[in-house]
Amino acid sequence: MNNNNYNELHDASHSFEAVIGLEVHSQLLTKTKMFCSCQNIFGKEPNSMVCPVCLGLPGALPVINFEGVRLAVKAALALNININKKSLFARKNYFYPDLPKGYQISQYLDPVSSNGYLNIETDGVEKRIRINRLHIEEDAGKLIHIGSESYVDLNRAGTPLVEIVSEPDMSSAKEAVSYLKELRDILVYQGISDGNMEEGSFRCDANVSVRRKGDEKLGTRAEIKNVNSFKFVEKAIDYEIGRQIDLILSGGNIIQETRLYDSKENVTRSMRGKEEAHDYRYFEEPDLPPLILDEEFIEKVKNSISELPQSKRKRYADEYALTSYDCEVLTQDKNIAYYFEDLIKVNAVNNKGKVEIKKIANWVINDLLFALKGIENQPALKKGNMPEQEDFFNLILEVETGNINKNTGKIVLTEMLLTGKKPADIIKEKNLAQVSDEKGLEGIIKQIFDENSKELTDLISGKDKLFGFFVGEVMKKTKGKANPKKVNEILKNFIEEKKN
Amino acid sequence: MDKMENIIDINHVMKLAKLDLNKDDSEHFSKELNKILEYINMLKEADVSQINSVLDELDYDNLVSGITLKTDFYKDCRLDECASDDSFSFNIVKNDAPNFETSGETSEYGFFVVPQVIE
Amino acid sequence: MDLSNLTIHQINDLLKCREVKSVDITDSYIKRIKEIDPIISAYLYNDFEEALSNAEDADKIIQKNSDFPYLTGVPLSIKDIFLIKGKRTTCASKILDNFISPYDATVIKRLKKNNYVFIGKTNMDEFAMGSSTENSAYKITKNPYDLNRVPGGSSGGSAASVSADLCAGSFGTDTGGSIRQPASLCGVVGLKPTYGLISRYGIIAFSSSLDQAGVIANDVLDAAIMLKAAVGFDEKDQTTRKLEIKNYPEIVKKADKLTMKGLKVGIPVEFFSEGLDPKIYLKIMEIKDLLKGLGASIVDISLPDTKYSVAAYYVIATSEASSNLERYDGIRFGSRFNEDKNLQSLDELYKKSRELGFGKEVKRRIILGTFALSAGYYDAYYKKASLVRKLIIKNYKDSFNNVDIILGPTSPTPAFLIGEKMSDPLSMYLSDIYTISINLAYLPALSLPIGAVENPTKKGGVLPVGLQLISPWATEERLLSVAKVIEDEVKFREKYTPVM
Ligand SMILES: [Mg+2]
Ligand SMILES: [Zn+2]
């Protein structure tokens, strides 16, 4: 070889870069399947949600579910992908037991949308990932392998999917995960998909290759399938990058193949035996007319798109001066974001007092979300599970105005979540209002001084640590209802007096 | 001429089509099909240059019926409503299936069974 | 009175004035089938019990109402390509040998609404692939005019059943001439409507963009009656059209030879070229002169690109078929050929089922179609054929700017001998040379018996000759009216009956 040999080996892996493209399949939240009127529902008895069309019976014909088209267009618009006013369905032909017709109805040469992008942020760095296309297709059924046989369940066959294909614009596993998260957030936010990776309604295949930095030409890529969580996507890609670099450095050749990720061993493995030449013999689906969309329709769909998480985050940071962590947490679930925004509205219109928005954010992030998690058998976060916005705001006010202290606030919140009662009623019922009355507090403190004269002497003589001890004693006596601010004030005054 | 280039690679095609013919049959088929292909190759002479340039204008509806494909055609698509085909009987499918196993004793439903899919 | 030698409208007249019952009519067809069909083999199977029960139901309706649909109580045969719930449907293939339809085709649903009498399923070429009905996996149907000759195909059983008075009318399908050519060879009326006029739902697909259901009838009025019962938009077939449903029977009844005056009749030079039997040529010329005599103007036209139609057809039809027939995999329905289930791999299951289930012609076409779609050949074959199809469409469109109707032969020869073309698939394909371009152009066409020629192999015997009429998109009423005028002049039914 040449003189560069040494250097190359010395810093070998740093002289490579990874090139990653993702193919995402996401189920659409329609009531019925894409081409028949069977229910689009998960977890029913095998083959109970089927009809001649999705069973692929002789003579059956597909009919387009327009809600599937609408959701696909909505997804494309939300992802800045250009809508094609005329698109065509195509057949992708191959034999597999979960594919009853022997072909999948998909889109090929003329997809419903193409050429878009998604901006992602990874470790504070922004990047634009180009999207090649988003098209509509139908899902296959499910196979269960038992012994020497496979069992075919076609309930999922024919359910609507969008396939979203990125350009190979990502160069690390972290970027790939940022892209996936951003993509999923958007689809879930817009009510297009439930984004559930474990149940397979949001699936990802990663095309990974490596090349020497500065090379124009792409390396041979491997396609990794079967990754069902963000964590595993990151691990699988990292493993694959390492494997490819090692292979090249040891003089081997990358072959184009499909690899499966094994999460137990954290490796990717070649899918042997399925290497038959893939020749899908795509052609236009003769059973369906071209899909023609007009400006008016596209405009209507556009107007139905709500603010995207990305833009919410930016707005929260700009308008409310929230930290990027706060913005992240508040926008990760659209129900939380909307809840937070509702609280801000209540704050603006109520006349009992205003609360700093940062404080409202803290209440949602630190208290509400925490309390929700703490409740046993708590179903997923849903609108119905959260307290009325008015009530929650009133609770915040109770604490901010000092009627109850923060700890009591947390207790009241849990009670609200469990019973749905209003905070004022809970405070009254359980007699939780703070003791802020100065005379009363002074009396209690004096009593404590009498009972702990030694500690008092020490404190006066400079053992400042004992201040906390007295606060604690007051709280004990008042069963936590004392207003800590007041207790502090009074204690300080007394000590000052005594010192003098 | 370029006749040779279009000779059907019958083994490759049979693989794609999941057909398995014995050697004699496949040789016989090959001969027949190549003769048919020779005839079909007349398509090469067809001048479709004008079709290519006015493809849109020649779209099926417009061309055949004189009707322009309605842009609001999607109103003819299916609404997202569950409906069952009143004439469809899964019981007939189940009784007819070459290998079907019900999912439980009382269940009407179950699985179609095939030899293990090799992964 | 022989009740099995009647037209549908004659039966309707008799039922209306309650002279006979549907049960009587059905009974006489059953007797005739038992007597004659062993010779003809038009039927794959009959269901006489069902027929009589349908007839009883119809009689009840007739008794209650004076106003009932034309087809009420009328025994009709159905090509074994239509699904009828609970009935065996084989498409004349071994792969569907034990297949019981779990649902009704839309056409069948409509016929049931009309209270028709189902008398049996007729023989056909396997999966409608053929022009002689010799490709049936079960039996060879004979031409009622000469038992040594084919009835044509693929709806040969339907044409023979009408011609031999084994039913009052029959529903068939036409992908490249499969209704018109057998109608022509058997001396009956065959109508292939505009693509999209009759739902394809529940009809086993051969080539989705070419298949169209149609009718085979004793006369033109019967054809109009049957057409009206079947047409109309179907929400289960997105290639059907929302068109105004015309009252075809009433239009036919009003057909008047005076209206031939000024009718512009196109004679395409390409339909009278080499390969056309000179005796048939002369018969067609007689009709040309007849129309001229009635005041029609005859216009010589050219459809220059129809010379490609057989080639384009065989690429498009086989390509679509190769895909449509992928669902016959031995998994969900039909025949699975596995003697030793446990030793079989999935691949073997597919291959065995398809190897033993499909007949020769079907395999031939699957291979041709798979090839035409395969990587590297798609552009040269499928795509090119689709473009040529547009040329042919344009030929017809341009012609119809100058003429109202086009006239020519249906078949280049009269019925040929059984076995004559079986060893030469190409010559068999060319027997559809005049019918194929109409399917490619989505147009309606009708074959009308206009006379007969001497049978060279049967002393004193004759063979029917069919005239083909072609009209613009969705103008079936024009076809039917002109056909009715010609029919009244040539009086075929009065002159010829099959001699068995
Ligand atoms: Mg896909
Ligand atoms: Zn379905």
Side-chain angles (χ1 to χ4, degrees):
Chain A
M1 282 184 101
N2 55 36
N3 296 337
N4 289 333
N5 210 0
Y6 171 79
N7 283 338
E8 267 185 26
L9 283 174
H10 178 69
D11 205 1
S13 63
H14 293 291
S15 67
F16 282 91
E17 65 178 354
V19 178
I20 302 158
L22 297 180
E23 270 174 46
V24 167
H25 286 90
S26 179
Q27 282 180 9
L28 300 176
L29 287 171
T30 54
K31 270 188 264 168
T32 64
K33 295 187 180 181
M34 191 60 218
F35 299 112
C36 63
S37 47
C38 289
Q39 239 183 305
N40 177 17
I41 191 167
F42 179 81
K44 293 282 170 179
E45 259 204 272
N47 291 307
S48 61
M49 299 289 133
V50 290
C51 75
V53 180
C54 53
L55 278 172
L57 291 184
L61 297 171
V63 178
I64 300 166
N65 176 354
F66 203 71
E67 179 63 6
V69 175
R70 193 186 71 80
L71 289 177
V73 168
K74 192 173 178 187
L77 290 169
L79 294 166
N80 314 298
I81 311 175
N82 185 47
I83 305 297
N84 299 320
K85 284 191 186 146
K86 178 182 172 184
S87 65
L88 295 171
F89 287 98
R91 292 185 184 178
K92 179 181 182 180
N93 298 283
Y94 63 96
F95 285 86
Y96 214 63
D98 63 7
L99 191 71
K101 298 188 295 299
Y103 55 84
Q104 178 196 35
I105 303 178
S106 180
Q107 295 191 304
Y108 183 56
L109 289 177
D110 304 273
V112 71
S113 63
S114 50
N115 297 323
Y117 62 86
L118 186 59
N119 293 328
I120 62 166
E121 201 188 298
T122 317
D123 297 334
V125 182
E126 277 198 36
K127 189 168 179 180
R128 172 165 290 196
I129 308 299
R130 291 167 302 151
I131 295 175
N132 176 287
R133 56 150 64 203
L134 174 151
H135 71 241
I136 303 165
E137 60 183 34
E138 57 177 341
D139 210 342
K142 273 187 179 160
L143 291 174
I144 300 164
H145 309 293
I146 302 172
S148 63
E149 288 171 329
S150 296
Y151 289 66
V152 187
D153 172 12
L154 297 173
N155 282 349
R156 198 182 68 182
T159 59
L161 290 179
V162 282
E163 177 175 328
I164 303 159
V165 183
S166 84
E167 295 292 350
D169 286 355
M170 285 150 279
S171 44
S172 72
K174 269 193 169 170
E175 279 183 10
V177 172
S178 304
Y179 169 86
L180 273 185
K181 281 192 171 157
E182 189 62 43
L183 191 63
R184 197 190 69 147
D185 276 0
I186 290 173
L187 297 180
V188 173
Y189 245 77
Q190 300 303 333
I192 294 162
S193 168
D194 68 14
N196 191 326
M197 280 187 103
E198 287 77 36
E199 280 180 12
S201 45
F202 185 86
R203 309 194 285 267
C204 166
D205 300 335
N207 288 309
V208 178
S209 67
V210 298
R211 63 178 168 194
R212 280 175 205 277
K213 280 180 184 157
D215 275 4
E216 285 283 310
K217 207 170 151 271
L218 290 173
T220 307
R221 62 161 204 261
E223 187 183 14
I224 315 171
K225 286 195 184 277
N226 207 23
V227 234
N228 61 5
S229 76
F230 292 129
K231 195 176 85 191
F232 292 152
V233 168
E234 186 167 348
K235 285 186 160 183
I237 292 174
D238 271 337
Y239 172 85
E240 183 60 22
I241 293 169
R243 185 190 72 89
Q244 291 187 13
I245 292 174
D246 286 352
L247 191 59
I248 292 172
L249 287 176
S250 62
N253 272 326
I254 310 287
I255 45 170
Q256 186 165 342
E257 62 182 347
T258 304
R259 300 181 69 86
L260 280 177
Y261 178 65
D262 177 340
S263 58
K264 279 186 207 121
E265 309 273 321
N266 188 32
V267 292
T268 63
R269 286 205 185 89
S270 181
M271 275 175 84
R272 262 175 275 273
K274 273 196 106 183
E275 293 312 311
E276 261 178 55
H278 280 301
D279 185 344
Y280 292 122
R281 289 159 288 134
Y282 283 100
F283 72 106
E284 288 173 25
E285 167 57 282
D287 288 330
L288 294 172
L291 192 56
I292 309 289
L293 304 172
D294 61 5
E295 203 55 63
E296 192 193 329
F297 167 75
I298 296 169
E299 204 50 43
K300 235 166 131 185
V301 180
K302 212 177 253 169
N303 293 334
S304 75
I305 292 175
S306 50
E307 190 185 19
L308 293 170
Q310 226 170 27
S311 119
K312 276 194 196 299
R313 284 197 282 275
K314 197 171 177 312
R315 188 163 60 82
Y316 292 179
D318 293 351
E319 287 179 21
Y320 311 136
L322 299 181
T323 66
S324 72
Y325 171 80
D326 289 350
C327 295
E328 186 71 38
V329 177
L330 286 170
T331 56
Q332 72 193 355
D333 183 306
K334 79 172 159 190
N335 290 323
I336 294 167
Y338 289 148
Y339 192 80
F340 170 65
E341 287 172 20
D342 286 347
L343 289 174
I344 292 175
K345 276 179 215 151
V346 175
N347 184 36
V349 299
N350 98 89
N351 46 23
K352 287 176 266 178
K354 300 278 179 264
V355 182
E356 220 185 300
I357 287 176
K358 168 74 187 162
K359 279 196 174 138
I360 296 178
N362 285 343
W363 267 99
V364 172
I365 295 165
N366 299 332
D367 302 301
L368 179 62
L369 294 183
F370 184 81
L372 280 168
K373 270 184 205 135
I375 292 174
E376 243 180 281
N377 298 327
Q378 177 60 39
L381 284 177
K382 276 190 194 128
K383 251 186 210 145
N385 297 333
M386 303 212 254
E388 290 289 319
Q389 288 85 336
E390 285 282 343
D391 293 346
F392 190 63
F393 182 77
N394 285 336
L395 171 68
I396 299 173
L397 270 184
E398 297 276 7
V399 176
E400 291 305 317
T401 56
N403 189 29
I404 57 175
N405 66 36
K406 186 82 196 243
N407 277 332
T408 311
K410 285 180 184 173
I411 295 163
V412 174
L413 175 58
T414 305
E415 195 65 17
M416 283 166 68
L417 288 172
L418 290 172
T419 64
K421 285 182 183 162
K422 302 210 175 298
D425 295 341
I426 296 169
I427 292 166
K428 212 170 164 190
E429 267 173 40
K430 305 212 157 187
N431 191 21
L432 292 171
Q434 288 198 110
V435 184
S436 324
D437 149 60
E438 280 189 36
K439 285 271 165 325
L441 279 178
E442 281 172 13
I444 291 168
I445 290 170
K446 275 178 185 156
Q447 199 188 332
I448 292 171
F449 283 168
D450 291 346
E451 291 164 10
N452 301 283
S453 52
K454 188 182 173 292
E455 284 80 0
L456 181 64
T457 321
D458 290 352
L459 177 61
I460 293 166
S461 64
K463 258 196 164 179
D464 289 345
K465 269 186 200 160
L466 283 167
F467 189 81
F469 165 79
F470 283 102
V471 176
E473 287 301 304
V474 178
M475 286 319 218
K476 254 192 224 160
K477 273 248 153 68
T478 59
K479 291 187 179 130
K481 286 188 289 183
N483 183 336
K485 221 168 133 196
K486 279 263 149 70
V487 176
N488 267 317
E489 261 171 42
I490 297 167
L491 263 176
K492 258 187 197 147
N493 287 339
F494 276 165
I495 308 288
E496 285 307 306
E497 265 172 38
K498 302 222 166 181
K499 274 186 179 169
N500 298 333
Chain B
M1 266 195 7
D2 54 5
K3 217 168 83 184
M4 286 307 291
E5 86 178 89
N6 288 326
I7 298 281
I8 294 186
D9 175 357
I10 195 137
N11 289 320
H12 173 66
V13 173
M14 285 194 310
K15 219 181 250 173
L16 291 175
K18 297 282 183 212
L19 287 173
D20 207 2
L21 305 177
N22 63 43
K23 204 163 174 260
D24 282 358
D25 276 358
S26 77
E27 271 170 16
H28 177 70
F29 263 51
S30 228
K31 246 183 241 157
E32 272 179 354
L33 286 165
N34 282 312
K35 197 178 148 202
I36 295 167
L37 264 190
E38 227 173 278
Y39 176 81
I40 285 173
N41 277 338
M42 76 155 78
L43 287 175
K44 290 188 176 158
E45 299 158 20
D47 176 12
V48 291
S49 51
Q50 58 152 335
I51 296 294
N52 271 323
S53 60
V54 287
L55 202 57
D56 276 340
E57 191 216 325
L58 286 173
D59 271 343
Y60 163 67
D61 278 65
N62 188 13
L63 180 63
V64 177
S65 61
I67 302 168
T68 315
L69 241 178
K70 286 180 294 165
T71 48
D72 64 345
F73 111 95
Y74 55 80
K75 285 167 194 156
D76 287 351
C77 287
R78 201 167 57 74
L79 293 176
D80 190 22
E81 281 162 9
C82 299
S84 59
D85 183 340
D86 50 5
S87 86
F88 173 64
S89 158
F90 186 75
N91 258 322
I92 296 178
V93 176
K94 169 187 143 185
N95 293 337
D96 239 19
N99 194 357
F100 189 89
E101 261 172 42
T102 44
S103 55
E105 258 175 44
T106 53
S107 178
E108 159 179 6
Y109 303 106
F111 298 94
F112 301 100
V113 187
V114 295
Q116 174 76 278
V117 178
I118 301 161
E119 292 271 324
Chain C
M1 187 178 189
D2 183 5
L3 292 174
S4 62
N5 183 22
L6 299 168
T7 62
I8 294 172
H9 53 92
Q10 283 167 342
I11 293 174
N12 183 256
D13 288 342
L14 289 174
L15 292 173
K16 260 195 175 139
C17 50
R18 298 190 166 88
E19 276 183 33
V20 290
K21 290 189 156 190
S22 169
V23 170
D24 306 325
I25 290 164
T26 305
D27 215 36
S28 68
Y29 276 111
I30 292 173
K31 284 202 184 90
R32 189 167 165 86
I33 290 168
K34 283 180 176 163
E35 185 193 343
I36 307 278
D37 201 46
I39 310 168
I40 303 290
S41 298
Y43 285 99
L44 280 172
Y45 23 82
N46 296 97
D47 194 337
F48 296 139
E49 228 172 277
E50 168 93 8
L52 287 169
S53 128
N54 288 172
E56 279 169 25
D57 292 346
D59 281 330
K60 277 179 209 150
I61 288 160
I62 292 165
Q63 230 168 19
K64 269 187 253 161
N65 308 292
S66 56
D67 196 27
F68 49 85
Y70 267 116
L71 294 180
T72 302
V74 176
L76 300 177
S77 72
I78 307 290
K79 188 181 183 178
D80 200 22
I81 199 169
F82 289 83
L83 269 64
I84 304 179
K85 188 185 178 183
K87 303 266 174 266
R88 197 170 156 213
T89 301
T90 67
C91 226
S93 178
K94 285 279 179 226
I95 208 157
L96 286 173
D97 196 33
N98 56 11
F99 178 64
I100 308 293
S101 315
Y103 72 103
D104 276 330
T106 298
V107 168
I108 298 299
K109 269 194 180 175
R110 290 184 179 170
L111 291 178
K112 284 181 175 175
K113 274 207 187 104
N114 279 266
N115 326 303
Y116 87 121
V117 174
F118 167 67
I119 196 147
K121 286 289 200 75
T122 55
N123 197 19
M124 56 186 284
D125 286 298
E126 184 181 359
F127 283 103
M129 296 175 180
S131 311
S132 67
T133 312
E134 290 165 287
N135 292 327
S136 166
Y138 299 99
K139 49 172 77 164
I140 290 179
T141 300
K142 320 292 191 310
N143 189 312
Y145 280 85
D146 179 351
L147 300 176
N148 293 314
R149 291 178 184 268
V150 302
S154 64
S155 309
S158 285
S161 72
V162 176
S163 171
D165 284 323
L166 303 174
C167 62
S170 189
F171 276 88
T173 59
D174 187 318
T175 305
S178 281
I179 281 176
R180 290 159 288 156
Q181 185 255 17
S184 165
L185 268 45
C186 292
V188 289
V189 176
L191 170 62
K192 177 222 116 63
T194 303
Y195 181 83
L197 208 67
I198 298 182
S199 168
R200 291 181 295 115
Y201 187 76
I203 298 172
I204 296 179
F206 160 18
S207 173
S208 310
S209 76
L210 295 158
D211 293 346
Q212 182 60 205
V215 303
I216 294 176
N218 279 308
D219 67 11
V220 175
L221 180 54
D222 277 9
I225 289 168
M226 293 171 73
L227 179 68
K228 179 159 184 272
V231 296
F233 172 78
D234 179 14
E235 56 185 21
K236 290 181 182 300
D237 176 359
Q238 217 169 343
T239 61
T240 55
R241 295 308 162 111
K242 276 182 181 154
L243 297 167
E244 174 207 354
I245 294 177
K246 295 164 187 161
N247 198 337
Y248 302 109
E250 292 313 306
I251 295 169
V252 167
K253 283 182 195 162
K254 287 190 193 119
D256 187 338
K257 63 183 176 186
L258 293 177
T259 59
M260 296 299 105
K261 205 170 169 154
L263 183 80
K264 281 182 270 174
V265 179
I267 309 283
V269 54
E270 290 78 11
F271 284 14
F272 296 89
S273 52
E274 57 164 330
L276 176 64
D277 185 325
K279 285 182 225 139
I280 293 181
Y281 171 77
L282 291 174
K283 284 282 161 202
I284 308 292
M285 286 305 116
E286 283 175 22
I287 303 300
K288 184 185 94 173
D289 293 340
L290 168 79
L291 289 174
K292 206 172 175 183
L294 293 174
S297 57
I298 306 299
V299 186
D300 287 325
I301 59 167
S302 174
L303 302 164
D305 298 305
T306 53
K307 62 173 178 283
Y308 300 118
S309 48
V310 174
Y313 174 86
Y314 276 92
V315 171
I316 292 169
T318 59
S319 296
E320 293 181 4
S322 73
S323 175
N324 282 331
L325 268 57
E326 277 164 354
R327 68 188 61 198
Y328 304 97
D329 56 9
I331 295 178
R332 285 145 293 125
F333 53 81
S335 304
R336 180 186 290 189
F337 296 89
N338 53 338
E339 310 77 55
D340 191 351
K341 162 180 133 185
N342 292 325
L343 287 178
Q344 222 172 27
S345 75
L346 178 66
D347 214 47
E348 277 171 312
L349 165 75
Y350 284 141
K351 285 179 178 166
K352 268 269 154 51
S353 301
R354 292 166 67 80
E355 159 66 10
L356 299 173
F358 289 140
K360 226 183 186 149
E361 181 60 26
V362 174
K363 285 180 198 156
R364 196 181 276 132
R365 295 198 194 191
I366 289 176
I367 291 175
L368 184 57
T370 305
F371 168 76
L373 289 174
S374 66
Y377 296 102
Y378 173 87
D379 283 346
Y381 292 105
Y382 188 77
K383 195 173 164 204
K384 185 69 186 270
S386 304
L387 292 172
V388 169
R389 181 178 192 169
K390 294 192 176 191
L391 280 182
I392 292 166
I393 293 170
K394 196 166 183 303
N395 279 184
Y396 276 107
K397 202 188 181 193
D398 293 345
S399 295
F400 282 124
N401 287 332
N402 303 316
V403 301
D404 302 312
I405 199 160
I406 292 173
L407 178 152
T410 305
S411 163
T413 64
F416 45 90
L417 291 165
I418 291 170
E420 192 180 323
K421 296 188 178 181
M422 278 305 270
S423 58
D424 186 357
L426 189 57
S427 85
M428 185 76 92
Y429 295 175
L430 288 169
S431 65
D432 289 331
I433 191 154
Y434 303 132
T435 48
I436 270 174
S437 62
I438 288 111
N439 296 75
L440 287 170
Y442 307 96
L443 296 174
L446 182 147
S447 179
L448 180 75
I450 50 161
V453 294
E454 222 176 88
N455 182 343
T457 58
K458 189 177 166 190
K459 231 178 164 219
V462 294
L463 296 170
V465 171
L467 166 85
Q468 183 173 226
L469 296 165
I470 308 158
S471 72
W473 196 81
T475 58
E476 279 72 6
E477 67 284 2
R478 191 183 302 172
L479 276 185
L480 290 162
S481 300
V482 175
K484 172 74 169 142
V485 170
I486 299 169
E487 180 181 66
D488 287 347
E489 296 295 318
V490 302
K491 298 185 166 59
F492 179 88
R493 256 176 83 77
E494 286 173 29
K495 290 180 189 156
Y496 304 99
T497 35
V499 187
M500 285 162 278

